Amino acid sequence: HAVMIVEPNRLCVLADDCVGEVWASGPSIAHGYWRNPEASATTFVQFEGQTWLRTGDLGFLHDGELFITGRLKDLLIVRGQNLYPQDIEKTIEREVEVVRKGRVAAFAVNVKGEEGIGIAAEISRSVQKILPPDALINAIRQAVAEACQQAPSVVVLLNPGALPKTSSGKLQRSACRNRL
Protein backbone atom coordinates (compact mmCIF):
# COMPACT_ATOMS: atom_id res chain seq x y z
CA HIS A 1 0.00 0.00 0.00
CA ALA A 2 1.04 3.57 -0.58
CA VAL A 3 0.28 6.67 1.43
CA MET A 4 0.78 10.29 0.44
CA ILE A 5 -0.06 13.65 1.94
CA VAL A 6 -1.95 16.02 -0.34
CA GLU A 7 -2.94 19.67 -0.06
CA PRO A 8 -6.74 19.14 -0.08
CA ASN A 9 -7.73 22.24 -2.07
CA ARG A 10 -5.02 22.36 -4.75
CA LEU A 11 -4.61 18.53 -4.82
CA CYS A 12 -0.81 18.67 -4.92
CA VAL A 13 1.50 16.27 -3.08
CA LEU A 14 3.19 17.78 -0.01
CA ALA A 15 6.70 17.24 1.29
CA ASP A 16 7.51 15.38 4.50
CA ASP A 17 6.56 17.18 7.72
CA CYS A 18 3.79 19.18 6.00
CA VAL A 19 0.22 18.60 7.22
CA GLY A 20 -2.34 17.72 4.57
CA GLU A 21 -5.00 15.16 3.71
CA VAL A 22 -3.98 11.52 3.92
CA TRP A 23 -4.50 9.56 0.69
CA ALA A 24 -4.10 5.78 0.50
CA SER A 25 -3.79 3.41 -2.45
CA GLY A 26 -3.29 -0.32 -2.77
CA PRO A 27 -4.89 -3.67 -3.52
CA SER A 28 -7.45 -3.48 -0.69
CA ILE A 29 -8.63 0.04 -1.55
CA ALA A 30 -11.97 0.04 -3.39
CA HIS A 31 -12.48 1.93 -6.63
CA GLY A 32 -15.71 3.53 -5.49
CA TYR A 33 -18.92 3.20 -3.53
CA TRP A 34 -21.60 0.75 -4.66
CA ARG A 35 -24.20 2.60 -6.74
CA ASN A 36 -23.11 6.03 -5.52
CA PRO A 37 -21.16 7.71 -8.34
CA GLU A 38 -21.33 11.20 -6.79
CA ALA A 39 -19.68 10.14 -3.52
CA SER A 40 -17.24 7.94 -5.43
CA ALA A 41 -16.11 10.85 -7.59
CA THR A 42 -15.14 12.97 -4.59
CA THR A 43 -13.66 10.23 -2.39
CA PHE A 44 -11.87 7.97 -4.89
CA VAL A 45 -9.58 9.87 -7.25
CA GLN A 46 -7.25 8.85 -10.04
CA PHE A 47 -3.70 10.07 -9.68
CA GLU A 48 -0.61 8.83 -11.53
CA GLY A 49 -2.46 5.77 -12.83
CA GLN A 50 -3.73 4.61 -9.44
CA THR A 51 -6.99 4.91 -7.51
CA TRP A 52 -6.47 6.84 -4.27
CA LEU A 53 -8.82 7.00 -1.30
CA ARG A 54 -9.20 10.49 0.14
CA THR A 55 -9.45 9.50 3.81
CA GLY A 56 -10.57 12.86 5.19
CA ASP A 57 -7.84 12.51 7.82
CA LEU A 58 -5.18 15.16 8.28
CA GLY A 59 -1.63 14.07 8.91
CA PHE A 60 2.01 14.25 7.89
CA LEU A 61 4.85 11.89 7.05
CA HIS A 62 8.07 12.03 9.08
CA ASP A 63 10.96 9.62 8.43
CA GLY A 64 8.57 7.26 6.64
CA GLU A 65 6.04 7.20 9.48
CA LEU A 66 2.49 8.55 9.25
CA PHE A 67 1.19 10.84 12.01
CA ILE A 68 -2.53 11.69 12.12
CA THR A 69 -3.33 15.20 13.37
CA GLY A 70 -7.12 15.30 13.02
CA ARG A 71 -10.01 15.28 10.59
CA LEU A 72 -10.32 17.61 7.62
CA LYS A 73 -14.02 18.26 8.33
CA ASP A 74 -13.21 19.33 11.92
CA LEU A 75 -10.44 21.81 11.06
CA LEU A 76 -11.33 25.45 11.74
CA ILE A 77 -9.83 28.13 9.52
CA VAL A 78 -10.18 31.52 11.16
CA ARG A 79 -8.59 34.56 9.48
CA GLY A 80 -6.32 32.24 7.50
CA GLN A 81 -5.10 30.38 10.59
CA ASN A 82 -5.66 26.62 10.92
CA LEU A 83 -7.03 25.75 14.34
CA TYR A 84 -7.44 22.20 15.60
CA PRO A 85 -10.57 21.69 17.69
CA GLN A 86 -8.76 19.32 20.07
CA ASP A 87 -6.31 22.09 20.99
CA ILE A 88 -9.12 24.56 21.72
CA GLU A 89 -11.02 21.98 23.76
CA LYS A 90 -7.97 21.10 25.88
CA THR A 91 -7.28 24.81 26.48
CA ILE A 92 -10.82 25.31 27.80
CA GLU A 93 -10.60 22.21 30.00
CA ARG A 94 -7.27 23.38 31.42
CA GLU A 95 -8.16 27.05 31.92
CA VAL A 96 -11.83 26.84 32.96
CA GLU A 97 -11.87 24.35 35.82
CA VAL A 98 -15.66 24.10 36.11
CA VAL A 99 -16.08 22.77 32.57
CA ARG A 100 -16.59 19.00 32.52
CA LYS A 101 -13.46 17.25 31.20
CA GLY A 102 -14.02 15.54 27.85
CA ARG A 103 -17.32 17.36 27.49
CA VAL A 104 -16.27 20.35 25.37
CA ALA A 105 -16.60 20.61 21.59
CA ALA A 106 -15.06 23.25 19.35
CA PHE A 107 -16.42 23.62 15.83
CA ALA A 108 -16.59 26.07 12.94
CA VAL A 109 -19.49 28.51 12.73
CA ASN A 110 -20.34 31.00 10.03
CA VAL A 111 -21.22 34.45 11.34
CA LYS A 112 -22.01 37.16 8.81
CA GLY A 113 -20.11 35.31 6.08
CA GLU A 114 -16.96 34.72 8.13
CA GLU A 115 -15.82 31.52 9.77
CA GLY A 116 -15.57 31.73 13.52
CA ILE A 117 -15.18 29.48 16.54
CA GLY A 118 -18.16 27.82 18.16
CA ILE A 119 -17.96 26.19 21.59
CA ALA A 120 -20.39 23.78 23.25
CA ALA A 121 -19.56 22.89 26.85
CA GLU A 122 -21.35 20.75 29.41
CA ILE A 123 -21.63 22.28 32.86
CA SER A 124 -22.57 20.21 35.91
CA ARG A 125 -25.84 21.08 37.62
CA SER A 126 -24.02 21.94 40.86
CA VAL A 127 -21.87 24.51 39.03
CA GLN A 128 -24.96 25.90 37.27
CA LYS A 129 -26.45 26.66 40.71
CA ILE A 130 -23.34 28.53 41.88
CA LEU A 131 -22.05 30.44 38.83
CA PRO A 132 -24.09 32.66 36.52
CA PRO A 133 -24.02 31.68 32.82
CA ASP A 134 -22.43 35.02 31.81
CA ALA A 135 -19.42 34.36 34.06
CA LEU A 136 -18.91 30.91 32.52
CA ILE A 137 -19.26 32.21 28.97
CA ASN A 138 -16.80 35.04 29.65
CA ALA A 139 -14.26 32.62 31.15
CA ILE A 140 -14.48 30.36 28.10
CA ARG A 141 -14.25 33.30 25.70
CA GLN A 142 -11.20 34.65 27.55
CA ALA A 143 -9.38 31.29 27.54
CA VAL A 144 -9.93 30.79 23.80
CA ALA A 145 -9.04 34.40 22.95
CA GLU A 146 -5.73 34.14 24.80
CA ALA A 147 -4.84 30.84 23.11
CA CYS A 148 -6.04 31.60 19.57
CA GLN A 149 -6.05 35.41 19.37
CA GLN A 150 -9.72 35.03 18.45
CA ALA A 151 -12.66 34.89 20.85
CA PRO A 152 -15.41 32.38 20.07
CA SER A 153 -18.31 33.74 18.06
CA VAL A 154 -20.72 31.42 19.87
CA VAL A 155 -20.57 29.73 23.28
CA VAL A 156 -23.34 27.31 24.24
CA LEU A 157 -23.62 25.94 27.78
CA LEU A 158 -25.22 22.50 28.00
CA ASN A 159 -26.63 20.31 30.72
CA PRO A 160 -24.71 17.10 31.52
CA GLY A 161 -25.16 14.46 28.81
CA ALA A 162 -26.38 16.92 26.16
CA LEU A 163 -23.20 17.02 24.06
CA PRO A 164 -23.70 14.85 20.96
CA LYS A 165 -21.43 11.79 20.87
CA THR A 166 -21.13 8.66 18.78
CA SER A 167 -22.08 5.26 20.19
CA SER A 168 -18.38 4.76 20.97
CA GLY A 169 -18.20 8.03 22.94
CA LYS A 170 -16.42 10.31 20.43
CA LEU A 171 -17.44 13.96 20.20
CA GLN A 172 -19.62 14.84 17.24
CA ARG A 173 -18.43 18.33 16.41
CA SER A 174 -20.39 18.51 13.16
CA ALA A 175 -23.57 17.54 15.05
CA CYS A 176 -22.96 20.47 17.42
CA ARG A 177 -22.63 22.80 14.44
CA ASN A 178 -25.77 21.37 12.78
CA ARG A 179 -27.85 21.61 15.97
CA LEU A 180 -26.77 25.19 16.54
Side-chain angles (χ1 to χ4, degrees):
H1 285 78
V3 172
M4 68 179 169
I5 308 300
V6 177
E7 200 293 320
N9 297 317
R10 296 182 318 218
L11 304 181
C12 61
V13 179
L14 296 173
D16 279 8
D17 300 318
C18 292
V19 174
E21 184 180 15
V22 178
W23 286 17
S25 182
S28 66
I29 302 293
H31 291 272
Y33 293 115
W34 178 255
R35 294 185 180 178
N36 193 341
E38 296 84 20
S40 295
T42 58
T43 305
F44 297 90
V45 294
Q46 294 297 314
F47 183 78
E48 295 181 354
Q50 291 179 296
T51 299
W52 291 84
L53 168 66
R54 296 186 67 173
T55 66
D57 291 319
L58 291 172
F60 63 93
L61 291 170
H62 179 79
D63 291 335
E65 290 187 62
L66 174 64
F67 294 85
I68 302 296
T69 60
R71 295 282 297 156
L72 184 59
K73 68 179 182 179
D74 290 338
L75 183 68
L76 291 89
I77 303 171
V78 179
R79 291 189 282 149
Q81 180 182 5
N82 291 350
L83 301 173
Y84 291 92
Q86 308 90 305
D87 295 340
I88 297 169
E89 293 157 3
K90 291 297 178 200
T91 295
I92 293 168
E93 289 176 5
R94 186 179 58 248
E95 301 297 326
V96 185
E97 293 178 15
V98 296
V99 170
R100 299 183 74 207
K101 306 303 180 237
R103 304 284 201 239
V104 178
F107 50 92
V109 294
N110 193 313
V111 178
K112 297 179 184 173
E114 291 186 21
E115 188 160 296
I117 302 169
I119 303 294
E122 287 185 8
I123 307 296
S124 72
R125 295 192 192 286
S126 60
V127 170
Q128 291 178 29
K129 292 176 184 175
I130 299 169
L131 294 173
D134 289 347
L136 294 168
I137 291 170
N138 288 338
I140 291 169
R141 289 179 55 79
Q142 182 68 31
V144 174
E146 287 176 8
C148 302
Q149 289 71 52
Q150 175 79 24
S153 302
V154 176
V155 177
V156 179
L157 303 178
L158 303 172
N159 287 325
L163 195 63
K165 291 191 168 203
T166 65
S167 59
S168 63
K170 294 178 185 171
L171 292 175
Q172 290 185 309
R173 296 178 184 98
S174 58
C176 289
R177 180 177 49 243
N178 293 340
R179 289 180 182 180
L180 181 65

